[in-house]
Amino acid sequence: GHELSVLEGALETIERCQIDYILYEDLGGKTAEVSALLKSKGYRIYKLIKSFTGLKLVEPDHRFTFSYDPENYVALKDIS
């Protein structure tokens, strides 16, 4: 539940170090704020889901998850 405050505290490092990816968990509806912050720093946001063939990256609004799994996201540095 503290992802946003952690990322805000790490902004200087994020901006300076060109971090390729950031993994975070959404437990309570802060995804919009966290995603907006990361998008503003040049990241693309994907949901990380389990499937029968392994882990997959899907669009953030994708609804398939196992009910016991928290929603996990990955922010990938946009290099295009």
Side-chain angles (χ1 to χ4, degrees):
H2 297 283
E3 288 82 3
L4 184 59
S5 58
V6 168
L7 290 172
E8 288 172 337
L11 280 179
E12 185 178 322
T13 301
I14 290 170
E15 292 168 347
R16 186 186 47 190
C17 295
Q18 298 297 313
I19 297 169
D20 293 331
Y21 61 91
I22 298 171
L23 297 169
Y24 62 99
E25 182 177 78
D26 177 18
L27 293 175
K30 293 245 181 193
T31 300
E33 294 175 19
V34 172
S35 294
L37 174 67
L38 292 169
K39 285 178 185 179
S40 76
K41 300 302 174 189
Y43 288 86
R44 296 185 68 195
I45 308 301
Y46 297 95
K47 186 183 284 187
L48 185 62
I49 64 168
K50 293 179 187 176
S51 74
F52 293 109
T53 59
L55 296 174
K56 291 186 178 186
L57 295 179
V58 296
E59 294 298 319
D61 59 353
H62 186 77
R63 295 289 173 213
F64 176 79
T65 56
F66 294 107
S67 62
Y68 53 84
D69 285 339
E71 293 193 355
N72 294 292
Y73 295 86
V74 61
L76 300 176
K77 190 68 172 174
D78 192 357
I79 56 172
S80 59

